[in-house]
Amino acid sequence: MGRTYIVEETVGQYLSNINLQGKAFVSGLLIGQCSSQKDYVILATRTPPKEEQNENLKHQQKAKLDNLDEEWATEHANQVSRMLPGGLLVLGVFIITTLEMGNDFQNALRRLVFAMEKSMNKRRLWNFTEEEISERVTLHICSSTKKIFCRTYDIHDPKSSAKPADWKYQNGLSTSWLSLECTVHINIHIPLSTTSVSYTLEKNTKNGLARWAKQIENGVYLINGQVKDEDCDLLEGQKKSSRGNVQATSHSFDVKVLTQLLLNSDRRSTATVQICSGSVNLKGAVKCRAYIHSNKPKVKDAVQAMKRDILNTVADRCEMLFEDLLLNEIPEKKDSEKEFHILPHRVFVPIPGSSVMLCDYKFGDESAEEMRDHFIEMLDHMIQIEDLETAEEINTACMSYSVNTEASLDNTDDEQPKQPMKTTMILKIQQNIGVIAAVAVAVLAAGISFHYFSD
């Protein structure tokens, strides 16, 4: 028996309203969440056409699916995946055609699904577990006959064939989904070894983040101040209605992350000496958010969603900064010069009719109008400026030239310009003496520092 996809009714309305406008087809992404029993689709967004495609509509009338731009569609998937909080994934693709298509059509869709997943997976600091659902969906809608063909492919099996799946609509699917929110303080020091000078700064940084990611994966997660068994129901202990259904007293859970400062005493510790040409520092506090369905969710699924949002948001910000530096051709400092850069801060926006919010990242010089336009371009849904929710404060970038290069998420250095500070309490576990100390840190926009050492 194939997978079952429970789909928000507004997704069906969105798909039925898409006008081909003379094109042979329109394609896009399906966004939602996997679970062991069924998958949930809460949003669909068409892939924006290239400018040259808009200029050649007449030629596209006779186009075959061979003209489906795999690279362009994959890049759209990469951009949208950055906008998804923990718990949400690009579940697959949809395509609307004027005619029913044959086997060549299905092969093209299959290649697209695998190409998207391969590209998105390269950017992740985490891996799917063996227990997780590895099927991704393709939805084909024929605009003339109104027929729907829903099939899945196992992305872990390159030779997998299409399997039929059920596509069922449900009203108000995600209105009662649960959210988990967390502020994570990071202070990551990444040495740039002289033996890795052939690597790009981006690759060196990602390798360094991979070591930090293990701390996040192995951390202890407190949900509303409690450590819960991972196999327990997340809503255990909540009141039940007269019909026997669980009623969450709050749709939001507060999460604290406790990471080990030292290795366990039963593990051997070794020191490595490296000759370094510089270093990268990531420092500050980031806002993280994850969502999970309300159909008997497990604690382990909620914790996993939060872990992945923490890893994704830090990695995505670093990647965006490097892209911005390349795009603006900002020269790399030499010798002992100092660079200070601010990582983009997070902005959330609600999905109409849902408790779920998506996100994007804003550099200091970007306006609210630009953020709104980017949301509309990527998600193909109307967004109002007043709906934008800024999760972090804006900090000023300080570029100075000294022996050390520093970039910070916080405004904690004496040399930095004084800004109004918003403080929060960060729990820090000192495992060697078993003491929990509460320390106040400034929560500002994330930043990054580069240290270059002269010979």
Side-chain angles (χ1 to χ4, degrees):
M1 185 176 178
R3 298 287 298 169
T4 297
Y5 287 85
I6 307 300
V7 187
E8 174 62 61
E9 276 192 0
T10 55
V11 171
Q13 295 168 5
Y14 172 80
L15 295 174
S16 63
N17 289 336
I18 290 180
N19 189 340
L20 295 181
Q21 296 179 334
K23 299 179 182 179
F25 61 86
V26 167
S27 64
L29 308 175
L30 298 170
I31 297 163
Q33 187 170 100
C34 294
S35 74
S36 58
Q37 297 180 339
K38 61 190 72 172
D39 295 341
Y40 304 94
V41 179
I42 64 171
L43 191 70
T45 173
R46 65 183 296 174
T47 298
K50 281 185 174 180
E51 291 183 4
E52 57 266 30
Q53 289 177 338
N54 285 328
E55 296 171 0
N56 296 311
L57 286 179
K58 292 182 180 179
H59 294 89
Q60 281 218 354
Q61 275 187 314
K62 299 179 180 179
K64 297 180 180 178
L65 200 66
D66 293 339
N67 291 341
L68 176 61
D69 194 329
E70 187 176 295
E71 182 179 358
W72 182 255
T74 298
E75 179 57 29
H76 181 225
N78 284 329
Q79 294 289 327
V80 170
S81 66
R82 283 178 176 172
M83 307 172 79
L84 304 182
L88 296 187
L89 293 170
V90 175
L91 294 182
V93 298
F94 72 83
I95 191 160
I96 302 173
T97 63
T98 53
L99 301 172
E100 294 184 29
M101 311 291 276
N103 291 333
D104 291 343
F105 167 79
Q106 285 300 324
N107 290 335
L109 283 184
R110 181 183 182 280
R111 288 195 304 270
L112 179 58
V113 167
F114 276 83
M116 284 183 175
E117 194 62 36
K118 181 179 180 180
S119 180
M120 290 185 290
N121 200 47
K122 284 181 179 179
R123 301 170 45 250
R124 293 171 178 146
L125 293 176
W126 50 270
N127 297 311
F128 288 104
T129 64
E130 293 181 358
E131 295 80 18
E132 287 185 83
I133 303 302
S134 58
E135 291 182 64
R136 295 296 179 264
V137 63
T138 63
L139 181 73
H140 172 213
I141 301 175
C142 177
S143 61
S144 57
T145 64
K146 306 301 180 183
K147 288 185 179 180
I148 294 179
F149 303 90
C150 185
R151 298 178 175 88
T152 62
Y153 296 93
D154 186 346
I155 55 173
H156 289 171
D157 180 8
K159 297 181 180 179
S160 68
S161 56
K163 296 180 181 178
D166 291 331
W167 185 265
K168 298 179 179 180
Y169 289 108
Q170 179 178 317
N171 187 34
L173 174 63
S174 58
T175 54
S176 60
W177 278 25
L178 312 172
S179 70
L180 300 99
E181 299 186 15
C182 177
T183 299
V184 179
H185 179 66
I186 64 172
N187 189 359
I188 308 168
H189 182 77
I190 304 172
L192 303 178
S193 171
T194 54
T195 59
S196 61
V197 292
S198 59
Y199 295 166
T200 63
L201 184 59
E202 182 177 0
K203 185 174 181 180
N204 272 308
T205 302
K206 186 173 182 180
N207 290 340
L209 287 177
R211 294 188 290 271
W212 163 76
K214 292 180 181 178
Q215 288 183 297
I216 299 299
E217 290 282 4
N218 297 327
V220 176
Y221 288 75
L222 306 180
I223 300 178
N224 287 348
Q226 297 180 327
V227 177
K228 297 187 176 184
D229 185 273
E230 63 175 16
D231 291 321
C232 285
D233 192 323
L234 181 63
L235 296 174
E236 187 176 40
Q238 301 286 344
K239 294 181 179 180
K240 292 187 177 182
S241 66
S242 57
R243 296 182 180 181
N245 297 323
V246 174
Q247 288 183 325
T249 55
S250 173
H251 288 314
S252 180
F253 294 83
D254 177 65
V255 179
K256 293 283 190 300
V257 185
L258 311 179
T259 57
Q260 295 179 347
L261 298 182
L262 298 175
L263 293 172
N264 295 331
S265 58
D266 60 344
R267 293 181 60 184
R268 184 179 179 85
S269 177
T270 58
T272 301
V273 178
Q274 286 183 317
I275 300 175
C276 297
S277 59
S279 66
V280 173
N281 283 349
L282 300 172
K283 185 181 179 183
V286 292
K287 297 286 187 178
C288 303
R289 193 174 294 181
Y291 293 91
I292 190 165
H293 63 83
S294 54
N295 183 23
K296 298 181 180 179
K298 296 293 184 182
V299 169
K300 62 181 178 181
D301 297 326
V303 170
Q304 178 179 269
M306 180 54 73
K307 285 181 181 180
R308 291 178 178 177
D309 190 65
I310 296 170
L311 299 178
N312 286 346
T313 190
V314 173
D316 287 345
R317 293 178 209 226
C318 290
E319 185 178 52
M320 292 179 71
L321 175 63
F322 294 132
E323 289 175 357
D324 187 64
L325 295 178
L326 287 173
L327 184 65
N328 293 289
E329 298 181 345
I330 298 176
E332 187 177 281
K333 303 300 177 187
K334 302 299 180 182
D335 301 327
S336 61
E337 295 183 347
K338 178 179 179 180
E339 289 183 57
F340 182 81
H341 299 285
I342 302 298
L343 293 174
H345 62 278
R346 209 169 191 182
V347 177
F348 289 94
V349 68
I351 299 176
S354 171
S355 63
V356 175
M357 301 184 80
L358 303 184
C359 72
D360 202 356
Y361 296 94
K362 177 182 180 297
F363 284 97
D365 59 350
E366 289 184 286
S367 67
E369 289 77 12
E370 289 176 302
M371 293 301 300
R372 176 199 59 196
D373 293 345
H374 188 252
F375 271 115
I376 294 174
E377 181 185 14
M378 290 295 104
L379 303 178
D380 196 32
H381 286 71
M382 288 305 300
I383 302 295
Q384 303 299 323
I385 290 180
E386 53 268 26
D387 292 334
L388 300 178
E389 176 190 314
T390 303
E392 294 154 9
E393 303 225 7
I394 302 173
N395 194 5
T396 57
C398 176
M399 193 80 97
S400 60
Y401 305 95
S402 62
V403 176
N404 290 326
T405 311
E406 207 161 300
S408 171
L409 304 176
D410 297 339
N411 202 7
T412 53
D413 291 337
D414 292 338
E415 297 178 3
Q416 303 305 317
K418 294 182 179 180
Q419 296 281 332
M421 291 188 177
K422 176 181 177 182
T423 60
T424 185
M425 300 305 292
I426 302 297
L427 287 179
K428 181 181 180 183
I429 290 296
Q430 296 179 317
Q431 197 176 41
N432 53 333
I433 57 175
V435 175
I436 300 179
V439 295
V441 299
V443 179
L444 295 171
I448 184 169
S449 64
F450 305 94
H451 297 254
Y452 298 98
F453 307 133
S454 57
D455 297 332

